[in-house]
Amino acid sequence: MGLSGRRAALGSAVLDRFQHPAQVIVGGFGLAVLVGAGLLALPVATESGESAGPLTALFTATSAVCVTGLVVVDTGEHWSVFGEVVILLLIQAGGLGIMTLATLFAVLVSGKLGLRARLLAQAETKTLHGAGMRRVVRNVVLFSLVSEVIVAVVLSLRFAFGYGEPVGRAVYMGVFHAVSAFNNAGFGLWPDSLSRFVADPWVCLPVAAAVIVGGLGFPVVFELARSWRRPRRWSVLTRITLGTTAALLLVGTVVLASAERDNPHTLGPLSDSAKLLAGFFAAVMARTAGFNSIDISQMRPESWLFTDILMFIGGGSAGTAGGIKVTTFGLLAFVMWAELRGEDRVNVGHRRLAGPVQRQALTIALMGVGLVAVCTLVLLSMVPHSLDRVLFEVVSAFGTVGLSTGITGQLPDAGQVVIALLMFIGRIGPLTLFSALALRERTRRYELPEERPIVG
C-alpha cells in the first residue's frame, strides 16, 4: 500500500472512530477529572500538607473540569497554591474543551447533511474543511485567552490600587477570577465568594461581562464580530441567543432585585444603586457562573425558585455555560407560540425551523427535567434539608452553575457522589445528546396512517 493509500486508510479509521462522539466526550472529560483528582489528592495540594482524601479531590476535580464551582471545602483556605493552580488549569481545560468540542461536533453533524445543505452551511460558516477547522480552534483559544487577559488586568489593578493588595497577590487573584469567570466556573478565593465586593462595580461588572461573553458561545460571538452592523443577516442561533439572553438578564435583574430589596440579610442594607448592581450580578451568575455577591443561603424562597429557572435554562450553545441552553428554551418558546396561533410551521424571523430541531429541543428539555426530578428525589431520601434547598443544589449541579444554599459541604458521601455525577452529566449531557440525536437523524421511506389522540 502506498503512502496515499495509508493516509486514506488512516483517515477512514479516524472518521470511523468519530462516528461515536459520546465516547470521545465522556472519555476526554473523564480522563481530565481522574488526572485532576490524582493531583489534588497529593499532600502538596493542601495547605495542611495532608491528603485531601479521594472523594474531596474527585468532587473538586469534577466541579473544576465541568466548570461548575460547587465545593465541599473552601478553595482559598483548604488548597495550597499548587492545588489552586491545578484547579485553575482544570477550569481552563474544561472551558476550552467545551467550546472546541462543541465546534468540532457541529462540523461532524454538518457532515451528515445532504450535499445542498452542506454547501449552504460551508458558504455560511466557512469552517467545514480541515484548514477552516484549524482556524476555528485557533480562534477559540485566542479569543478565550485575550478575554481572560483583559478581565485579569482590570481586576488586578482594582485589587492592587483599590484594596492595597501586593502586586503579585493582586495579579494572582485577578488571573484566577478572570479565568474562573470567563469559563463560567465560579471558583473564588474568598470564603464568601465576591460578597465583599457587592457594591464595587470595578469588580462585579468585569466579572459579569466575562461570564456573559463566555456564556454566549463561540459561534455567536464571531458572527457578531463579522456582521454586528447587519442584524438582518444574523443566523437563527444568534437571534435566539441574544434575544433570550437579554430578556432573561433584564427579567432576572428586576425579579431578584425586587424580591430581595428589603431582605435585611441580602439587599436590604445596600443603597439603591448597589441593590441594582447586586440584582444584575445575581441574574448574571445564575446563568451558570456560580459567583455570588450576596448570601445565597439567606435569600427568600421565591428568589431561590426563580434562580432555579435561570440555572436550568443556562447560557448559549457552544460556550462555557451549562443548562439546557437558551437556544433550546427559545426554540421551545417559538414552537409554543406557533401552536397557540394555530400555525403548522415554526418561523423565526425569515427562517423556518426544521422539524428535527424542534424534537431535539423538546428531548433535551424533558430529559433535563427528568434528571433533576430523579436526583432531587434521591437526595431528599439522604438528607434532612427542605425541598427548596435540595432542589436548588440539584439544579445548580445540573446547570453547572455552582451557586449553593450552603448544604454542599453537609452532604453525606453518597450525596456528594450524586452531585458529582450530576455535574458530569450536566456538563457533557446536552452536547452528547445533541450530537447523538443529530448524527442518528435518518429519513423514513414510508408514512404511517395519521391519528390525532386527545392532548390535554
Side-chain angles (χ1 to χ4, degrees):
M1 180 184 298
L3 179 59
S4 59
R6 288 195 296 271
R7 287 179 177 175
L10 179 59
S12 177
V14 171
L15 289 176
D16 290 340
R17 178 70 64 181
F18 273 84
Q19 293 300 312
H20 304 284
Q23 296 177 2
V24 180
I25 298 174
V26 174
F29 276 83
L31 180 61
V33 168
L34 292 178
V35 171
L39 293 174
L40 291 177
L42 297 174
V44 71
T46 64
E47 287 285 3
S48 63
E50 299 178 357
S51 176
L55 184 56
T56 299
L58 180 64
F59 188 97
T60 305
T62 303
S63 184
V65 172
C66 298
V67 291
T68 303
L70 286 174
V71 295
V72 292
V73 294
D74 181 73
T75 303
E77 294 183 356
H78 182 82
W79 303 106
S80 65
V81 174
F82 174 83
E84 292 170 1
V85 171
V86 169
I87 292 172
L88 193 66
L89 293 176
L90 292 177
I91 292 171
Q92 187 72 84
L96 286 176
I98 291 161
M99 289 193 291
T100 52
L101 278 175
T103 305
L104 288 171
F105 285 121
V107 174
L108 180 61
V109 167
S110 68
K112 290 291 183 179
L113 301 176
L115 177 60
R116 178 179 175 82
R118 289 168 61 185
L119 291 175
L120 290 174
Q122 184 170 3
E124 178 65 25
T125 63
K126 300 180 177 63
T127 59
L128 300 187
H129 47 80
M133 274 314 306
R134 287 192 294 272
R135 184 172 63 251
V136 167
V137 173
R138 181 194 64 200
N139 289 342
V140 168
V141 175
L142 288 177
F143 172 70
S144 300
L145 296 180
V146 169
S147 300
E148 291 167 357
V149 167
I150 293 174
V151 177
V153 169
V154 176
L155 293 179
S156 299
L157 292 175
R158 184 57 177 169
F159 293 148
F161 296 103
Y163 295 93
E165 294 285 351
V167 175
R169 176 68 177 170
V171 171
Y172 177 71
M173 291 191 299
V175 171
F176 189 97
H177 290 88
V179 173
S180 184
F182 178 81
N183 291 286
N184 281 222
F187 277 86
L189 296 177
W190 292 282
D192 59 353
S193 189
L194 298 180
S195 295
R196 63 190 64 195
F197 308 111
V198 61
D200 188 347
W202 289 100
V203 173
C204 291
L205 291 182
V207 170
V211 168
I212 294 172
V213 173
L216 282 178
F218 171 80
V220 172
V221 170
F222 276 81
E223 183 172 353
L224 289 176
R226 291 194 307 267
S227 56
W228 64 275
R229 294 183 178 180
R230 300 183 294 274
R232 289 183 176 273
R233 297 186 180 182
W234 291 353
S235 64
V236 171
L237 172 65
T238 298
R239 291 171 182 266
I240 292 180
T241 300
L242 293 180
T244 308
T245 297
L248 291 176
L249 289 178
L250 177 61
V251 174
T253 300
V254 173
V255 171
L256 293 176
S258 300
E260 298 294 323
R261 68 184 183 282
D262 57 354
N263 185 343
H265 303 293
T266 55
L267 301 186
L270 303 177
S271 65
D272 290 341
S273 59
K275 287 179 180 178
L276 182 61
L277 176 62
F280 173 73
F281 193 80
V284 173
M285 295 307 116
R287 310 293 314 292
T288 82
F291 290 109
N292 61 278
S293 63
I294 57 176
D295 190 349
I296 301 297
S297 66
Q298 299 297 322
M299 290 172 65
R300 290 172 171 159
E302 57 267 33
S303 299
W304 283 343
L305 180 58
F306 189 78
T307 304
D308 287 340
I309 297 173
L310 294 179
M311 293 191 299
F312 184 79
I313 296 173
S317 300
T320 56
I324 64 170
K325 309 300 184 185
V326 294
T327 313
T328 302
F329 178 76
L331 288 175
L332 292 178
F334 277 105
V335 171
M336 185 173 64
W337 178 244
E339 186 63 28
L340 290 175
R341 297 182 60 177
E343 299 177 352
D344 60 350
R345 296 288 187 273
V346 180
N347 300 319
V348 180
H350 301 289
R351 295 290 186 273
R352 175 171 58 87
L353 293 182
V357 174
Q358 301 174 41
R359 295 193 297 271
Q360 290 161 11
L362 182 62
T363 301
I364 290 174
L366 290 181
M367 290 191 70
V369 171
L371 185 61
V372 167
V374 169
C375 291
T376 301
L377 182 62
V378 170
L379 278 183
L380 281 173
S381 67
M382 298 180 182
V383 299
H385 303 294
S386 60
L387 171 61
D388 49 5
R389 289 181 180 270
V390 173
L391 178 62
F392 192 98
E393 213 76 11
V394 168
V395 176
S396 180
F398 168 76
T400 66
V401 181
L403 295 176
S404 174
T405 59
I407 69 173
T408 306
Q410 304 171 18
L411 295 176
D413 290 351
Q416 293 182 22
V417 171
V418 170
I419 292 295
L421 288 174
L422 190 57
M423 289 189 293
F424 191 79
I425 295 172
R427 179 68 276 169
I428 67 171
L431 178 57
T432 303
L433 180 59
F434 171 75
S435 300
L437 290 174
L439 291 175
R440 287 174 60 86
E441 183 180 326
R442 55 176 62 90
T443 302
R444 179 174 290 177
R445 300 183 182 277
Y446 61 90
E447 292 290 341
L448 297 174
E450 183 178 280
E451 181 175 345
R452 290 179 175 266
I454 298 176
V455 177

mmCIF file of all heavy atoms in Angstrom, residues 37-54 56-57 73 77-80 82-83:
data_model
loop_
_atom_site.group_PDB
_atom_site.id
_atom_site.type_symbol
_atom_site.label_atom_id
_atom_site.label_comp_id
_atom_site.label_asym_id
_atom_site.label_seq_id
_atom_site.Cartn_x
_atom_site.Cartn_y
_atom_site.Cartn_z
ATOM 1 N N ALA A 37 -8.132 14.775 39.859
ATOM 2 C CA ALA A 37 -8.351 14.213 41.193
ATOM 3 C C ALA A 37 -7.063 13.631 41.760
ATOM 4 O O ALA A 37 -6.779 13.767 42.958
ATOM 5 C CB ALA A 37 -9.436 13.144 41.125
ATOM 6 N N GLY A 38 -6.268 12.997 40.906
ATOM 7 C CA GLY A 38 -4.995 12.448 41.365
ATOM 8 C C GLY A 38 -4.048 13.534 41.851
ATOM 9 O O GLY A 38 -3.379 13.378 42.880
ATOM 10 N N LEU A 39 -3.994 14.648 41.125
ATOM 11 C CA LEU A 39 -3.123 15.755 41.536
ATOM 12 C C LEU A 39 -3.623 16.419 42.816
ATOM 13 O O LEU A 39 -2.838 16.771 43.700
ATOM 14 C CB LEU A 39 -3.030 16.789 40.416
ATOM 15 C CG LEU A 39 -2.313 16.343 39.132
ATOM 16 C CD1 LEU A 39 -2.427 17.397 38.051
ATOM 17 C CD2 LEU A 39 -0.843 16.032 39.418
ATOM 18 N N LEU A 40 -4.929 16.589 42.945
ATOM 19 C CA LEU A 40 -5.481 17.233 44.137
ATOM 20 C C LEU A 40 -5.414 16.335 45.365
ATOM 21 O O LEU A 40 -5.499 16.822 46.500
ATOM 22 C CB LEU A 40 -6.938 17.646 43.883
ATOM 23 C CG LEU A 40 -7.145 18.788 42.881
ATOM 24 C CD1 LEU A 40 -8.625 19.049 42.658
ATOM 25 C CD2 LEU A 40 -6.452 20.057 43.355
ATOM 26 N N ALA A 41 -5.265 15.038 45.153
ATOM 27 C CA ALA A 41 -5.144 14.117 46.284
ATOM 28 C C ALA A 41 -3.734 14.102 46.870
ATOM 29 O O ALA A 41 -3.513 13.532 47.946
ATOM 30 C CB ALA A 41 -5.544 12.705 45.849
ATOM 31 N N LEU A 42 -2.776 14.740 46.176
ATOM 32 C CA LEU A 42 -1.408 14.789 46.695
ATOM 33 C C LEU A 42 -1.334 15.691 47.928
ATOM 34 O O LEU A 42 -2.023 16.711 48.001
ATOM 35 C CB LEU A 42 -0.464 15.317 45.612
ATOM 36 C CG LEU A 42 -0.327 14.471 44.335
ATOM 37 C CD1 LEU A 42 0.540 15.208 43.310
ATOM 38 C CD2 LEU A 42 0.254 13.105 44.660
ATOM 39 N N PRO A 43 -0.503 15.354 48.910
ATOM 40 C CA PRO A 43 -0.374 16.209 50.105
ATOM 41 C C PRO A 43 0.035 17.638 49.790
ATOM 42 O O PRO A 43 -0.362 18.580 50.478
ATOM 43 C CB PRO A 43 0.704 15.490 50.927
ATOM 44 C CG PRO A 43 0.625 14.060 50.490
ATOM 45 C CD PRO A 43 0.266 14.109 49.030
ATOM 46 N N VAL A 44 0.826 17.838 48.730
ATOM 47 C CA VAL A 44 1.298 19.174 48.383
ATOM 48 C C VAL A 44 0.157 20.074 47.907
ATOM 49 O O VAL A 44 0.299 21.292 47.853
ATOM 50 C CB VAL A 44 2.388 19.084 47.293
ATOM 51 C CG1 VAL A 44 1.780 18.677 45.954
ATOM 52 C CG2 VAL A 44 3.128 20.402 47.158
ATOM 53 N N ALA A 45 -0.999 19.494 47.591
ATOM 54 C CA ALA A 45 -2.116 20.279 47.072
ATOM 55 C C ALA A 45 -2.916 20.980 48.166
ATOM 56 O O ALA A 45 -3.770 21.817 47.866
ATOM 57 C CB ALA A 45 -3.053 19.392 46.252
ATOM 58 N N THR A 46 -2.674 20.653 49.433
ATOM 59 C CA THR A 46 -3.432 21.264 50.526
ATOM 60 C C THR A 46 -2.540 22.141 51.390
ATOM 61 O O THR A 46 -1.322 21.945 51.447
ATOM 62 C CB THR A 46 -4.075 20.180 51.416
ATOM 63 O OG1 THR A 46 -3.052 19.406 52.043
ATOM 64 C CG2 THR A 46 -4.962 19.258 50.578
ATOM 65 N N GLU A 47 -3.152 23.086 52.078
ATOM 66 C CA GLU A 47 -2.408 23.968 52.973
ATOM 67 C C GLU A 47 -1.851 23.204 54.171
ATOM 68 O O GLU A 47 -0.777 23.527 54.678
ATOM 69 C CB GLU A 47 -3.324 25.100 53.464
ATOM 70 C CG GLU A 47 -3.633 26.154 52.415
ATOM 71 C CD GLU A 47 -2.468 27.094 52.168
ATOM 72 O OE1 GLU A 47 -1.393 26.895 52.775
ATOM 73 O OE2 GLU A 47 -2.614 28.023 51.354
ATOM 74 N N SER A 48 -2.572 22.186 54.629
ATOM 75 C CA SER A 48 -2.149 21.434 55.810
ATOM 76 C C SER A 48 -1.035 20.451 55.511
ATOM 77 O O SER A 48 -0.378 19.948 56.426
ATOM 78 C CB SER A 48 -3.341 20.677 56.395
ATOM 79 O OG SER A 48 -3.830 19.717 55.475
ATOM 80 N N GLY A 49 -0.815 20.137 54.236
ATOM 81 C CA GLY A 49 0.193 19.153 53.875
ATOM 82 C C GLY A 49 -0.283 17.728 53.995
ATOM 83 O O GLY A 49 0.488 16.784 53.813
ATOM 84 N N GLU A 50 -1.592 17.553 54.264
ATOM 85 C CA GLU A 50 -2.177 16.223 54.335
ATOM 86 C C GLU A 50 -3.086 16.011 53.133
ATOM 87 O O GLU A 50 -3.680 16.955 52.613
ATOM 88 C CB GLU A 50 -2.974 16.053 55.630
ATOM 89 C CG GLU A 50 -2.143 16.211 56.894
ATOM 90 C CD GLU A 50 -2.988 16.084 58.147
ATOM 91 O OE1 GLU A 50 -4.219 15.924 58.011
ATOM 92 O OE2 GLU A 50 -2.418 16.159 59.259
ATOM 93 N N SER A 51 -3.203 14.766 52.722
ATOM 94 C CA SER A 51 -4.034 14.461 51.559
ATOM 95 C C SER A 51 -5.485 14.868 51.807
ATOM 96 O O SER A 51 -6.030 14.680 52.905
ATOM 97 C CB SER A 51 -3.961 12.968 51.230
ATOM 98 O OG SER A 51 -4.842 12.650 50.157
ATOM 99 N N ALA A 52 -6.103 15.426 50.793
ATOM 100 C CA ALA A 52 -7.491 15.882 50.923
ATOM 101 C C ALA A 52 -8.474 14.738 50.981
ATOM 102 O O ALA A 52 -9.630 14.920 51.375
ATOM 103 C CB ALA A 52 -7.844 16.790 49.743
ATOM 104 N N GLY A 53 -8.054 13.543 50.605
ATOM 105 C CA GLY A 53 -8.974 12.419 50.543
ATOM 106 C C GLY A 53 -9.495 12.236 49.135
ATOM 107 O O GLY A 53 -9.696 13.210 48.403
ATOM 108 N N PRO A 54 -9.737 11.006 48.747
ATOM 109 C CA PRO A 54 -10.136 10.742 47.352
ATOM 110 C C PRO A 54 -11.465 11.384 46.958
ATOM 111 O O PRO A 54 -11.605 11.881 45.849
ATOM 112 C CB PRO A 54 -10.209 9.211 47.288
ATOM 113 C CG PRO A 54 -10.354 8.764 48.712
ATOM 114 C CD PRO A 54 -9.620 9.767 49.533
ATOM 115 N N THR A 56 -13.046 14.103 48.265
ATOM 116 C CA THR A 56 -12.922 15.560 48.154
ATOM 117 C C THR A 56 -12.160 15.949 46.892
ATOM 118 O O THR A 56 -12.544 16.884 46.183
ATOM 119 C CB THR A 56 -12.197 16.126 49.389
ATOM 120 O OG1 THR A 56 -12.961 15.832 50.566
ATOM 121 C CG2 THR A 56 -12.011 17.626 49.277
ATOM 122 N N ALA A 57 -11.079 15.224 46.603
ATOM 123 C CA ALA A 57 -10.300 15.500 45.396
ATOM 124 C C ALA A 57 -11.127 15.246 44.140
ATOM 125 O O ALA A 57 -11.108 16.042 43.191
ATOM 126 C CB ALA A 57 -9.037 14.655 45.382
ATOM 127 N N VAL A 73 -15.097 22.007 50.267
ATOM 128 C CA VAL A 73 -14.132 22.672 51.147
ATOM 129 C C VAL A 73 -13.881 24.065 50.574
ATOM 130 O O VAL A 73 -14.061 24.304 49.381
ATOM 131 C CB VAL A 73 -12.799 21.901 51.253
ATOM 132 C CG1 VAL A 73 -13.002 20.568 51.950
ATOM 133 C CG2 VAL A 73 -12.177 21.690 49.876
ATOM 134 N N GLU A 77 -8.815 28.552 51.450
ATOM 135 C CA GLU A 77 -8.228 28.142 52.715
ATOM 136 C C GLU A 77 -7.734 26.695 52.697
ATOM 137 O O GLU A 77 -6.727 26.373 53.324
ATOM 138 C CB GLU A 77 -9.248 28.310 53.848
ATOM 139 C CG GLU A 77 -9.614 29.762 54.123
ATOM 140 C CD GLU A 77 -10.572 29.896 55.294
ATOM 141 O OE1 GLU A 77 -10.996 28.839 55.832
ATOM 142 O OE2 GLU A 77 -10.906 31.030 55.670
ATOM 143 N N HIS A 78 -8.418 25.829 52.001
ATOM 144 C CA HIS A 78 -8.066 24.399 52.057
ATOM 145 C C HIS A 78 -6.916 24.055 51.116
ATOM 146 O O HIS A 78 -6.029 23.287 51.484
ATOM 147 C CB HIS A 78 -9.290 23.558 51.701
ATOM 148 C CG HIS A 78 -9.033 22.079 51.784
ATOM 149 N ND1 HIS A 78 -9.084 21.372 52.967
ATOM 150 C CD2 HIS A 78 -8.705 21.167 50.837
ATOM 151 C CE1 HIS A 78 -8.810 20.104 52.745
ATOM 152 N NE2 HIS A 78 -8.580 19.946 51.456
ATOM 153 N N TRP A 79 -6.935 24.619 49.910
ATOM 154 C CA TRP A 79 -5.943 24.221 48.907
ATOM 155 C C TRP A 79 -4.735 25.145 48.948
ATOM 156 O O TRP A 79 -4.856 26.349 49.170
ATOM 157 C CB TRP A 79 -6.558 24.242 47.505
ATOM 158 C CG TRP A 79 -7.765 23.367 47.364
ATOM 159 C CD1 TRP A 79 -9.063 23.773 47.272
ATOM 160 C CD2 TRP A 79 -7.786 21.935 47.329
ATOM 161 N NE1 TRP A 79 -9.897 22.682 47.169
ATOM 162 C CE2 TRP A 79 -9.138 21.543 47.204
ATOM 163 C CE3 TRP A 79 -6.803 20.948 47.379
ATOM 164 C CZ2 TRP A 79 -9.530 20.217 47.137
ATOM 165 C CZ3 TRP A 79 -7.180 19.615 47.314
ATOM 166 C CH2 TRP A 79 -8.530 19.258 47.198
ATOM 167 N N SER A 80 -3.583 24.573 48.703
ATOM 168 C CA SER A 80 -2.343 25.346 48.593
ATOM 169 C C SER A 80 -2.293 26.034 47.238
ATOM 170 O O SER A 80 -3.186 25.854 46.397
ATOM 171 C CB SER A 80 -1.135 24.415 48.750
ATOM 172 O OG SER A 80 -1.086 23.492 47.668
ATOM 173 N N PHE A 82 -0.316 25.276 44.879
ATOM 174 C CA PHE A 82 -0.255 24.183 43.902
ATOM 175 C C PHE A 82 -1.658 23.668 43.599
ATOM 176 O O PHE A 82 -2.026 23.467 42.427
ATOM 177 C CB PHE A 82 0.616 23.048 44.445
ATOM 178 C CG PHE A 82 0.621 21.822 43.575
ATOM 179 C CD1 PHE A 82 1.459 21.737 42.474
ATOM 180 C CD2 PHE A 82 -0.217 20.749 43.847
ATOM 181 C CE1 PHE A 82 1.459 20.601 41.662
ATOM 182 C CE2 PHE A 82 -0.233 19.613 43.044
ATOM 183 C CZ PHE A 82 0.619 19.541 41.945
ATOM 184 N N GLY A 83 -2.454 23.434 44.644
ATOM 185 C CA GLY A 83 -3.813 22.946 44.444
ATOM 186 C C GLY A 83 -4.673 23.938 43.683
ATOM 187 O O GLY A 83 -5.463 23.557 42.808
#
